[in-house]
Amino acid sequence: MFGIDHLRADMHRRFDSVDQRLTALEGKVTAMAGTVADLDAALTAYETAEQAALTEINAAVAAIQAKVGPGVDLTNEITRINNVQQSLQAAADAIQQAAQMGVTPTPPPAGRKP
């Protein structure tokens, strides 16, 4: 039969094995805690940068609104500006095409703006 000393030694081996596993697990938990802390810091930095960008955008919108005037729909104004820009580009392309074909544009009559 097994003696008390044998049982005691077996229990110590088992406790040592459990202790080693707990120590390894503790190391993994500590590493995970470090990773979580790094992720939390990165998220905080992102949120801070995002808030700063939103503040800057809001300030730019307020500055534009102040120059344009209250109640002006900026989306419509941007669309209008884009349409004018496209018209000007089309006119420039037509003038360039006419120039390539040897056509000289006729200046407007005196006193009239082009």
Side-chain angles (χ1 to χ4, degrees):
M1 283 281 191
F2 293 108
I4 295 272
D5 291 336
H6 185 328
L7 289 174
R8 200 176 274 149
D10 187 46
M11 295 274 280
H12 281 295
R13 276 194 305 277
R14 289 181 186 198
F15 284 140
D16 286 344
S17 175
V18 168
D19 187 50
Q20 288 173 358
R21 286 188 224 155
L22 286 174
T23 300
L25 185 58
E26 180 183 26
K28 290 177 182 179
V29 169
T30 301
M32 286 199 235
T35 301
V36 169
D38 291 346
L39 290 172
D40 188 48
L43 179 61
T44 299
Y46 170 79
E47 289 171 344
T48 301
E50 180 183 39
Q51 191 58 48
L54 286 173
T55 300
E56 191 172 329
I57 289 168
N58 288 335
V61 168
I64 291 169
Q65 195 71 54
K67 288 183 180 184
V68 173
V72 174
D73 184 353
L74 294 178
T75 302
N76 286 338
E77 289 301 309
I78 290 169
T79 300
R80 188 182 64 77
I81 290 167
N82 285 338
N83 290 341
V84 169
Q85 187 178 25
Q86 289 172 358
S87 295
L88 289 173
Q89 185 62 51
D93 292 345
I95 290 170
Q96 184 178 19
Q97 191 175 32
Q100 288 174 351
M101 294 170 48
V103 177
T104 305
T106 307
R112 188 167 158 220
K113 292 183 180 179

